[in-house]
Amino acid sequence: MKKVTTINPATEEEIASYNRLTTDKALKKVAKANETYQSWKKTSFGERSKLMRKLADIFDKNKEEYAQLATQEMGKMIQQSRSEIEKCALVCRYYSDNIHDLLADKIVETEAKKSYITYQPLGVVLAIMPWNFPFYQVIRFAAPAIMTGNTGVLKHASNVQGCAFALEGAFKKAGFPEGVFTNLNVESDDIKTIIEDKNIIAVTLTGSEPAGRSVAKIAGENLKKTVLELGGSDAYVVLEDADLEKATDLATFGRLQNNGQTCIASKRFIVLEEIYDDFLKLFTKKMKEAKMDEPTNEDAYYGPMARIDLRNEIHEQVEKTIVQGGKLILGGKIPDRKGAYYPATILADLKPGMTAFDEELFGPVASVIKAKDENEAIELANNSTFGLGSGVLTANAKRGEKIALQLEAGNSFVNKLVASDPRLPFGGIKNSGYGRELSDYGIKEFVNTKSIWID
């Protein structure tokens, strides 16, 4: 029987091994999810809400246990792991409390005696999820999909299978029927067969651009709905009137949060030339002072990346950029210590065509770019194949809003780092994917928007 072994990225020690499901067993679990769907879709919003509130309570009660597991498996700083579990509870309660309003029938005045739009579940949704937010990414899909009346099967990243099974256990503890939420510990090679299975009605994926293209192709050939949240190379425009202390504080946290492994993390800082040197100097100071250490160290600012291969990959991107003419300001050297550690790194004087400008840097590496004026800053920000998040740092909120409206991204924040919020839709454009998660837009991705006409 094939197994997958999880590895602690801080120590390189084995954590646990989990048996892989055979393809046949995985498909039987998918069939069970569809069987459960036939009864689950008939339950009331009230019944679903009761269970979802219990799930939120389980996240609260087991916060430390789940947080320690996430930190152990993918290296997230322990305080950030706790915040992730708290956010899971928040999302569960949001959909539990607001389901009636989010999916209320919409009356439409026509010539009919009565006409309206109603929202009905579709069936079994396959979720292919990444390791960087091993609990929250899953709940972001599962809470709205399950509250709608769908059931879900999860193909989680191999390096966080402990988290995947913990999530399955949490749904069971909350009292959800067997088959409402199921973890499929399968290999990537099995995904095509699972997507093609008649019991899968739709697919949601958060991950890399290549993975998104592959899944979209398979799903498209089988006429199955997809929602894709892919990579990002988020640009933050720093205007000449920005408070440099606040701007560099945001930049430092934005780049080192989750050890730099966040799709919507600030990655490219486009700074107006009037303050470019001052910004770079202060940013370098703060990045250098940020303490890198074990993720269980409460006083550390950031820790290891999730895997050694990912650490090596970002180092290659840094070295390519330097060869292309980028200037290494800080970091850029693999430390002589055990674990997938990479230091806070700054690359400056970047231009389109350089690796650090064009590609997503999924680690603690910041790209700093000079712009001669506001118009060039907007142009540089939009000069990207990605379009997930963006931001503007300025003392003039109206000016910031005007620029935010011109940035090509699914999310644009002024004087704040981009973050997901259950009250707002979340997703990207261009090569960052399509579709939305969260809010009323997200919950309606996997429903039958049905027109009813009564004469």
Side-chain angles (χ1 to χ4, degrees), residues 101-162:
D101 293 335
L102 293 170
L103 290 183
D105 291 345
K106 182 180 178 182
I107 300 296
V108 179
E109 295 298 330
T110 66
E111 303 82 41
K113 179 179 179 182
K114 182 180 180 182
S115 53
Y116 62 98
I117 301 165
T118 192
Y119 306 98
Q120 298 179 329
L122 293 174
V124 185
V125 181
L126 168 64
I128 303 168
M129 293 288 113
W131 44 262
N132 58 331
F133 289 90
F135 283 90
Y136 174 62
Q137 292 278 179
V138 176
I139 291 301
R140 199 165 78 185
F141 126 78
I146 288 170
M147 283 301 300
T148 302
N150 297 307
T151 57
V153 292
L154 168 68
K155 193 297 179 189
H156 215 332
S158 296
N159 59 325
V160 290
Q161 276 304 307

Side-chain angles (χ1 to χ4, degrees), residues 9-290:
T11 65
E12 299 183 45
E13 296 173 351
E14 292 187 4
I15 303 169
S17 291
Y18 301 90
N19 293 329
R20 289 286 200 189
L21 285 176
T22 63
T23 306
D24 287 343
K25 285 186 178 180
L27 293 178
K28 286 179 181 177
K29 286 181 177 287
V30 172
K32 175 61 179 177
N34 184 58
E35 179 187 326
T36 301
Y37 163 70
Q38 304 306 324
S39 55
W40 179 249
K41 68 180 179 180
K42 298 173 185 176
T43 58
S44 67
F45 286 159
E47 290 177 77
R48 297 174 204 164
S49 292
K50 184 179 179 181
L51 294 175
M52 193 58 69
R53 281 193 291 271
K54 286 184 179 179
L55 182 60
D57 291 341
I58 287 169
F59 282 123
D60 287 339
K61 291 175 184 176
N62 296 275
K63 179 172 70 174
E64 191 62 27
E65 176 189 342
Y66 294 157
Q68 292 288 346
L69 180 58
T71 291
Q72 192 177 34
E73 288 197 322
M74 56 77 54
K76 188 188 300 287
M77 304 309 293
I78 186 61
Q79 62 270 35
Q80 293 177 24
S81 291
R82 294 182 187 119
S83 295
E84 178 176 339
I85 304 306
E86 290 169 1
K87 197 165 186 179
C88 289
L90 173 71
V91 171
C92 290
R93 291 193 175 99
Y94 172 79
Y95 282 105
S96 173
D97 294 344
N98 295 284
I99 186 66
H100 290 87
D101 293 335
L102 293 170
L103 290 183
D105 291 345
K106 182 180 178 182
I107 300 296
V108 179
E109 295 298 330
T110 66
E111 303 82 41
K113 179 179 179 182
K114 182 180 180 182
S115 53
Y116 62 98
I117 301 165
T118 192
Y119 306 98
Q120 298 179 329
L122 293 174
V124 185
V125 181
L126 168 64
I128 303 168
M129 293 288 113
W131 44 262
N132 58 331
F133 289 90
F135 283 90
Y136 174 62
Q137 292 278 179
V138 176
I139 291 301
R140 199 165 78 185
F141 126 78
I146 288 170
M147 283 301 300
T148 302
N150 297 307
T151 57
V153 292
L154 168 68
K155 193 297 179 189
H156 215 332
S158 296
N159 59 325
V160 290
Q161 276 304 307
C163 295
F165 281 108
L167 281 158
E168 186 178 55
F171 275 91
K172 185 176 180 179
K173 288 177 187 175
F176 284 92
E178 181 186 359
V180 167
F181 179 89
T182 306
N183 178 43
L184 302 179
N185 182 16
V186 296
E187 296 183 291
S188 296
D189 291 345
D190 291 319
I191 290 176
K192 182 176 186 293
T193 301
I194 294 171
I195 294 174
E196 291 173 339
D197 186 76
K198 64 180 181 180
N199 291 313
I200 295 294
I201 199 70
V203 187
T204 180
L205 175 142
T206 298
S208 68
E209 182 184 340
R213 290 183 184 278
S214 176
V215 165
K217 181 180 180 182
I218 299 165
E221 288 173 346
N222 290 273
L223 298 179
K224 296 186 180 182
K225 170 76 179 287
T226 53
V227 169
L228 304 178
E229 194 261 276
L230 309 178
S233 185
D234 289 15
Y236 277 72
V237 174
V238 186
L239 300 179
E240 80 287 346
D241 63 355
D243 182 318
L244 283 180
E245 282 291 342
K246 292 180 180 178
T248 50
D249 280 344
L250 279 176
T252 302
F253 181 74
R255 203 62 216 99
L256 299 182
Q257 180 189 18
N258 208 31
N259 308 331
Q261 302 162 126
T262 305
C263 295
I264 50 170
S266 47
K267 297 187 176 85
R268 294 183 298 142
F269 298 94
I270 301 170
V271 187
L272 265 60
E273 61 182 5
E274 294 99 311
I275 60 165
Y276 180 85
D277 290 340
D278 290 338
F279 174 89
L280 186 57
K281 182 178 179 181
L282 190 54
F283 185 30
T284 302
K285 178 178 180 292
K286 291 179 179 180
M287 288 279 276
K288 188 175 183 179
E289 290 173 348

